[in-house]
């Protein structure tokens, strides 16, 4: 039972890391001073959670991210998801 719980945790963690790396290029980030890496990682996770909570548009995380960059109304819709959590 304990091993299964640990594997499940790491499976979820690896999936989140993969998503962050693919959609936000996390591994390519050159920010390395003071608290900046942790702060940016937190913002990325918040953005990923908000994008995943937004359900009116059934698209990939990458497509939702692009749409939010080009459409202020959609960006506000995603940001509202942060307030509802």
């Amino acid at each position: 039972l304990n091993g299964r719980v640990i594997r499940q945790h790491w499976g979820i963690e690896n999936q989140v890391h993969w998503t962050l790396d693919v959609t936000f290029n996390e591994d390519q980030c050159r920010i390395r001073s003071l608290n900046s890496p942790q702060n940016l990682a937190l913002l990325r996770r918040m953005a990923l959670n908000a994008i995943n909570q937004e359900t009116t548009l059934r698209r990939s995380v990458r497509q939702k991210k692009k749409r939010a960059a080009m459409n202020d109304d959609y960006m506000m819709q995603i940001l509202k998801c942060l307030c509802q959590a």
Side-chain angles (χ1 to χ4, degrees), residues 12-18 20 24 26 38-53 82:
I12 293 167
E13 185 66 28
N14 288 335
Q15 183 180 358
V16 168
H17 174 73
W18 183 85
L20 287 169
F24 293 96
E26 190 174 53
Q38 292 87 357
N39 292 340
L40 195 54
L42 177 65
L43 289 173
R44 283 189 195 106
R45 286 179 186 262
M46 288 173 64
L48 180 60
N49 286 333
I51 288 170
N52 285 333
Q53 287 178 16
L82 285 174

Side-chain angles (χ1 to χ4, degrees), residues 49-50 52-56 76-85:
N49 286 333
N52 285 333
Q53 287 178 16
E54 199 288 308
T55 58
T56 62
M76 290 305 296
Q77 198 168 349
I78 289 176
L79 291 174
K80 286 177 187 176
C81 292
L82 285 174
C83 298
Q84 295 172 356

Side-chain angles (χ1 to χ4, degrees), residues 5 10 17 20 25 31 41 78:
V5 171
W10 282 109
H17 174 73
L20 287 169
N25 295 324
I31 297 173
I78 289 176

